């Protein structure tokens, strides 16, 4: 049955991959691999080299229609009727296959979006763990019986039912992890999917589609369409889709809210951020300095919850910012297949231009460049989209670099004087995704964690993520939670049943 052919990891060579074989990449619709009906394709670019690596089918509205029809049919005829233990078994089989082949996925993502191999490899525990976590959820869904006060004898209980066909749309900053975060809970809940990965990094999701079929997922349960914003917009507006699960920018999230109004789809939105990372003078600075540096430099700053507003208590400000800058200068940037490399390129030329625009804006508004500050163009790096770890000092809250999401390796370091002040300034943003607090004072840690308006607060650590711990936004960082027991609820309807007992 299986067409899964594991590759010996030792045979993998930099910037090459058996999945990148010169053939155009097709979409997965109704269990079949298909070209776009229009025959159109788009190119995926390797951001380390600026060179195209694959032609990928460019979905039009008619392809989205076909994918939605396949998902609807699979939902009605198959998946919603599959017993929880059987849904669980498929998710566990997928997790086992994925674990065995993880190196191939890590390698592919490193080529496709530019995450260094040290980073893509390090996702294994969480990504395989997510599949196993949702497998457990598949057999843990239940409604409730409810005591009621109705006159007479009535039995009341709730049923949890899958919402139906889910449209899932993801960004490029952690391609395989982003897709699994959509696929796992939807399948556990009994939903079927039309999933569109980012046009900048679709390959690992397509390879994962085949893995799901090999794990025994019935055709049509997971459909993968490829394309850019127009394909996403067609999903968001489609009347045959019951729910959208979106991760991406706040502007696109707003467009999705508008597009989804036609049939009032349910939405979960994981959007942008401008997260405060607060370092108090009593913190363990040996931990806080590297922690604060990597809160932004990890993944070249392309993390929605990156701690980009670095608030440092004034007595330690100069020394601490100097330490973070020194870490930035010592961070190895470049060859993504060198296991020692910490930072790769930005994902695209457009992203490079955008981030360099913020570097100019920071300088023009009077911030001081303490590390980095300009595109790297030495030798081979000139062909790719490399920006070094950058630290701006003397940043004011009203500067563009302190207000807007940059999505690059750029720290805005800002001094503060008191707990009340830093909480107010930390919260003075339209976003509310993540926050960091570094202190040895437990009371202060609790107090500040309570006051910060964000979906996650990390104390004496940053971006610690776990399948069991909910993640999501306050304010314009979106709504809904991913991970944790709340996540599967996003894919379920609650039906109340009231029975008059004769
Ligand atoms: P983006 O919004 O440009 O694109 C995300 C996805 O939406 C892509 O698949 C894209 O093709 C699609 N899309 C574009 N226009 C669309 C439209 N009109 N309708 C429907 N779909 C559309 O975001 P990006 O540049 O790929 O990713 C970066 C952004 O994602 C950042 O703002 C970042 O903060 C955010 N992000 C958030 C989280 C989170 O969990 N909160 C995680 C990662 C990234």
């Amino acid at each position: 049955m299986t067409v899964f052919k594991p590759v010996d990891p030792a045979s993998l060579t930099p910037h090459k991959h058996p999945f990148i074989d010169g053939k155009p990449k097709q979409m997965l619709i109704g269990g079949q691999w298909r070209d776009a009906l229009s025959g159109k394709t788009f190119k995926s670019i390797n951001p380390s080299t600026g060179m195209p690596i694959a032609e990928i089918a460019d979905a039009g509205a008619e392809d989205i229609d076909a994918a939605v029809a396949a998902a609807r049919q699979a939902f009605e005829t198959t998946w919603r009727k599959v017993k929880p233990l059987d849904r669980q078994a498929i998710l566990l089989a997928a997790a086992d296959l994925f674990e065995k082949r993880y190196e191939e996925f890590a390698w592919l993502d490193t080529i496709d979006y530019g995450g260094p191999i040290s980073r893509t490899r390090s996702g294994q525990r969480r990504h395989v763990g997510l599949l196993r976590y949702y497998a457990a959820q598949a057999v843990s869904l239940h409604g409730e019986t409810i005591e009621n006060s109705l006159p007479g004898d009535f039995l009341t209980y709730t049923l949890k039912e899958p919402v139906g066909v889910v449209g899932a749309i993801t960004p490029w900053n952690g391609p395989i992890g982003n897709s699994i975060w959509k696929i796992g809970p939807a399948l556990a809940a009994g939903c079927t999917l039309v999933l569109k990965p980012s046009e900048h990094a679709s390959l690992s999701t397509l390879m994962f589609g085949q893995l799901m079929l090999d794990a025994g997922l019935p055709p049509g349960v997971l459909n993968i369409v490829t394309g850019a914003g127009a394909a996403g917009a067609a999903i968001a507006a489609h009347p045959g889709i019951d729910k959208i699960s979106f991760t991406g920018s706040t502007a696109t999230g707003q467009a999705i809210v508008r597009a989804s109004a036609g049939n009032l789809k349910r939405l979960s939105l994981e959007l942008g951020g401008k997260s405060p990372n607060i370092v108090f003078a009593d913190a363990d600075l040996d931990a806080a300095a590297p922690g604060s540096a990597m809160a932004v430099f990890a993944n070249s700053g392309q993390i929605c919850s990156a701690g980009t507003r670095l608030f440092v208590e004034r007595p330690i400000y100069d020394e601490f910012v100097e330490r973070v800058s020194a870490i930035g200068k010592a961070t190895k940037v470049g060859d993504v297949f060198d296991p020692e490399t910490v930072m790769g390129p930005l994902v695209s030329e457009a992203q490079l231009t955008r981030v360099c625009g913020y570097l100019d804006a920071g300088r023009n508004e009077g911030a001081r460049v303490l590390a980095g500050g300009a595109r790297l163009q030495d030798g081979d790096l000139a062909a790719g989209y490399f920006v070094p770890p950058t630290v701006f000092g003397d940043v004011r809250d009203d500067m563009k670099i302190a207000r807007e999401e940059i999505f690059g390796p750029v720290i805005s370091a800002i001094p503060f004087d008191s707990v009340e002040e830093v909480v107010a300034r930390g919260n003075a943003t339209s976003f509310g995704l993540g926050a960091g607090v570094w202190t040895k004072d437990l009371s202060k840690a609790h107090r500040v964690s309570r006051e910060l308006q964000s979906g996650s607060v990390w104390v004496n650590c940053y971006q610690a993520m776990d399948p069991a711990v909910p993640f999501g936004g306050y304010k314009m960082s979106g709504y809904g939670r991913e991970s944790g027991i709340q996540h599967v609820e996003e894919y379920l309807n609650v039906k109340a049943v009231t029975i008059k007992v004769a």
Side-chain angles (χ1 to χ4, degrees):
M1 176 270 281
T2 181
V3 295
F4 154 62
K5 295 193 197 80
V7 169
D8 176 5
S11 70
L12 293 168
T13 54
H15 299 291
K16 297 208 168 7
H17 196 285
F19 195 70
I20 301 173
D21 55 5
K23 295 184 196 139
K25 292 297 150 204
Q26 298 176 304
M27 299 183 279
L28 179 61
I29 298 179
Q32 305 291 318
W33 290 100
R34 301 195 200 167
D35 295 326
L37 286 166
S38 67
K40 286 187 185 159
T41 59
F42 65 94
K43 285 185 173 38
S44 192
I45 305 289
N46 177 341
S48 293
T49 63
M51 298 303 287
I53 48 173
E55 293 282 340
I56 300 179
D58 193 359
E62 61 285 1
D63 300 301
I64 306 296
D65 285 344
V68 173
R72 176 62 60 193
Q73 198 197 4
F75 178 69
E76 297 297 349
T77 61
T78 315
W79 196 240
R80 64 189 292 222
K81 298 178 185 162
V82 171
K83 298 288 183 197
L85 269 177
D86 300 319
R87 295 204 298 270
Q88 182 190 46
I90 290 172
L91 284 166
L92 289 175
D96 290 347
L97 282 178
F98 187 43
E99 192 167 43
K100 282 198 199 107
R101 289 185 70 181
Y102 196 86
E103 180 72 5
E104 282 174 66
F105 283 89
W107 208 263
L108 190 55
D109 267 354
T110 286
I111 299 169
D112 205 12
Y113 94 98
I117 194 71
S118 58
R119 179 172 178 85
T120 52
R121 277 181 181 148
S122 73
Q124 175 166 353
R125 182 175 167 78
R126 176 162 172 268
H127 296 154
V128 176
L130 279 168
L131 281 173
R132 296 200 172 120
Y133 182 79
Y134 295 116
Q137 300 276 295
V139 292
S140 310
L141 309 176
H142 54 80
E144 298 171 313
T145 57
I146 302 166
E147 286 300 310
N148 65 70
S149 305
L150 295 165
D153 193 359
F154 291 88
L155 171 67
T156 45
Y157 63 92
T158 56
L159 294 172
K160 297 277 180 76
E161 297 177 345
V163 296
V165 175
V166 172
I169 304 172
T170 60
W172 38 261
N173 62 339
I176 193 61
N178 287 334
S179 291
I180 286 171
W181 230 2
K182 306 293 183 204
I183 295 169
L187 296 187
C191 295
T192 58
L193 292 105
V194 175
L195 167 66
K196 192 197 84 63
S198 166
E199 62 274 30
H200 298 298
S202 309
L203 296 178
S204 61
T205 299
L206 292 170
M207 197 162 84
F208 192 76
Q210 183 61 51
L211 183 146
M212 289 303 308
L213 294 178
D214 295 346
L217 193 70
V221 176
L222 170 62
N223 304 277
I224 303 173
V225 293
T226 43
I235 292 172
H238 204 289
I241 290 181
D242 302 299
K243 178 200 163 73
I244 298 285
S245 176
F246 173 72
T247 303
S249 64
T250 294
T252 305
Q254 290 172 310
I256 287 175
V257 172
R258 288 189 288 271
S260 67
N263 66 336
L264 286 178
K265 291 178 182 67
R266 276 183 61 177
L267 298 178
S268 17
L269 302 172
E270 297 282 359
L271 307 177
K274 191 73 192 174
S275 300
N277 180 32
I278 302 168
V279 183
F280 288 99
D282 64 8
D284 172 357
L285 301 187
D286 291 339
S292 299
M294 290 318 291
V296 178
F297 302 150
N299 216 31
S300 300
Q302 302 168 115
I303 300 184
C304 45
S305 52
T308 46
R309 287 184 299 148
L310 176 59
F311 287 101
V312 186
E313 202 163 8
R314 202 173 302 271
I316 60 159
Y317 178 84
D318 287 335
E319 181 210 332
F320 189 79
V321 173
E322 181 48 46
R323 284 178 77 166
V324 171
S325 303
I327 293 168
K329 288 176 194 161
T331 297
K332 186 162 185 180
V333 187
D335 178 1
V336 286
F337 284 102
D338 178 341
E340 304 297 315
T341 295
V342 175
M343 261 179 51
L346 299 172
V347 75
S348 64
E349 194 168 5
Q351 201 60 17
L352 174 73
T353 306
R354 208 173 145 261
V355 171
C356 289
Y358 281 104
L359 300 182
D360 292 342
R363 263 189 298 268
N364 293 341
E365 287 188 293
R368 209 154 40 95
V369 179
L370 302 174
R375 177 184 180 182
L376 293 173
Q377 302 207 66
D378 302 339
D380 290 347
L381 298 187
Y385 314 132
F386 293 89
V387 169
T390 294
V391 180
F392 278 114
D394 300 340
V395 175
R396 294 187 318 270
D397 296 0
D398 63 348
M399 289 180 182
K400 206 170 146 78
I401 54 168
R403 287 184 290 109
E404 297 181 13
E405 182 176 51
I406 299 175
F407 229 56
V410 184
I411 290 177
S412 295
I414 309 169
F416 72 90
D417 293 297
S418 75
V419 171
E420 291 69 24
E421 176 207 327
V422 78
V423 166
R425 290 170 67 192
N427 286 338
T429 166
S430 52
F431 297 111
L433 196 53
V437 182
W438 299 84
T439 176
K440 286 185 190 152
D441 179 339
L442 206 55
S443 298
K444 202 191 284 176
H446 281 299
R447 207 167 115 215
V448 175
S449 302
R450 257 204 306 259
E451 294 298 320
L452 287 170
Q453 297 162 355
S454 65
S456 297
V457 179
W458 292 288
V459 177
N460 295 332
C461 59
Y462 205 87
Q463 266 149 4
M465 304 283 280
D466 186 272
V469 180
F471 178 84
Y474 279 30
K475 302 193 274 185
M476 288 181 76
S477 292
Y479 40 77
R481 290 292 176 271
E482 297 200 304
S483 290
I485 51 170
Q486 295 86 347
H487 196 182
V488 177
E489 299 288 334
E490 305 274 345
Y491 294 88
L492 294 169
N493 277 326
V494 180
K495 178 182 281 173
V497 180
T498 301
I499 302 179
K500 184 160 176 26
V501 181

